[in-house]
Amino acid sequence: MNNFFKRLSLPLKLLLLILFPLALVAYLSFELYNEKSKKVDLLAGYIDRIAEAQDISDLINALQLERRQSFAFALKKDIDSRSQLEAQRPVTDLAIKNLEERKDSTLKDFKDYTFLNNLQNTRHAIDSGASADLSMQYYTTSIFRLNTLNIILPVGANRYLKPVYGDLVAQKLLSEMATYLGIIRANFKAKYGSYPAWPRGCK
C-alpha cells in the first residue's frame, strides 16, 4: 500500500488529501440529515394525529347536536325543530367528509365501525316519524364508537414531544368526559323528558 502511494504523482496525492475529508464531511452530513428527517417525520406524524383528533372531536360535537335536534323533532314535530335539524345535518355531513379525506389506515372503515354508513337511513326514519328512542340510541352508539378512535400515541423517549404529551392526554380525557357527559344527559332526557339541573356550563 505504501509503495502504491509513493508511485502516485504529487497532484494526485494532493487531490486525494482533499477528497478524503470532503467524503467524510459528506457522509457525516448525510447521516445528520437522515436523523433530522426522521425527527421531522415523527413530529409531522404527531401534528397530523392531533389534527385528526380534532376532526374526530368536531364530528362527535356535530353528532351530539344532531342527536339533540333529532330527539326534539321526534317529540315535537314542529317547524322550529325541523328547521334546526335541517340546519345541523349539513354540518355533520361536512365533519364526516373531513374525516373521510384523511389517509389514516385506522380510519379506513370508520363509517362501518361507527354505523355512520346508516346515517341517511336513520335520518329518513326520523323524518318519517320514528320514535325519539331510535334517534337517541343510534346517535349515542355512533358517538361512543367514534370516541374510541380518538387515540393519543405514546411519545416514548422523544424529548421533543414530552413537553406537550401531558397536554395531549389532558385534551383526550376532557374529550372523553364531555362525550360521556353528553351520553348521560341524553339518556336522562330520553327517560325523564328534560335535562338534569346541573351547574351552568354543563349543558
Side-chain angles (χ1 to χ4, degrees):
M1 183 65 68
N2 290 334
N3 293 332
F4 172 76
F5 282 106
K6 288 180 180 179
R7 289 197 298 267
L8 295 177
S9 62
L10 180 60
L12 188 55
K13 290 179 181 179
L14 294 175
L15 180 61
L16 291 176
L17 288 175
I18 296 174
L19 289 179
F20 280 139
L22 288 178
L24 180 60
V25 170
Y27 173 76
L28 294 177
S29 299
F30 174 78
E31 289 296 319
L32 180 62
Y33 173 79
N34 192 36
E35 181 182 355
K36 294 293 184 182
S37 296
K38 290 180 180 179
K39 291 179 180 178
V40 169
D41 291 342
L42 179 62
L43 291 173
Y46 270 91
I47 291 173
D48 185 67
R49 182 59 197 169
I50 292 171
E52 181 181 294
Q54 183 60 52
D55 286 344
I56 293 175
S57 297
D58 290 343
L59 179 53
I60 289 175
N61 292 334
L63 286 170
Q64 287 176 333
L65 289 174
E66 185 169 333
R67 175 182 60 188
R68 178 183 297 181
Q69 303 301 341
S70 298
F71 185 82
F73 174 73
L75 291 178
K76 300 177 181 178
K77 299 290 194 303
D78 60 355
I79 297 177
D80 184 54
S81 298
R82 178 68 185 184
S83 62
Q84 292 183 25
L85 179 58
E86 290 294 336
Q88 178 58 37
R89 284 176 175 176
V91 177
T92 304
D93 291 339
L94 179 59
I96 293 174
K97 181 181 178 182
N98 290 338
L99 208 56
E100 283 181 314
E101 291 176 350
R102 293 206 161 270
K103 305 303 181 182
D104 191 342
S105 59
T106 60
L107 297 176
K108 181 180 179 181
D109 299 317
F110 82 93
K111 292 181 70 175
D112 294 332
Y113 173 70
T114 59
F115 305 119
L116 287 175
N117 54 346
N118 295 324
L119 179 60
Q120 297 303 325
N121 292 334
T122 302
R123 287 174 172 175
H124 180 71
I126 293 170
D127 295 342
S128 301
S131 67
D133 291 339
L134 172 66
S135 62
M136 187 64 65
Q137 181 179 3
Y138 171 77
Y139 286 104
T140 299
T141 302
S142 295
I143 290 168
F144 178 80
R145 291 200 165 206
L146 263 175
N147 194 62
T148 63
L149 297 176
N150 200 355
I151 302 172
I152 299 297
L153 300 177
V155 299
N158 192 294
R159 66 178 185 274
Y160 299 101
L161 296 174
K162 281 186 176 180
V164 300
Y165 183 66
D167 293 336
L168 296 178
V169 173
Q171 181 186 25
K172 165 67 173 173
L173 292 176
L174 287 174
S175 176
E176 289 182 347
M177 290 171 62
T179 299
Y180 295 139
L181 178 61
I183 292 174
I184 292 172
R185 295 183 72 251
N187 290 335
F188 193 97
K189 171 75 171 180
K191 184 173 183 179
Y192 298 105
S194 62
Y195 291 113
W198 290 342
R200 183 177 300 175
C202 293
K203 294 184 178 181

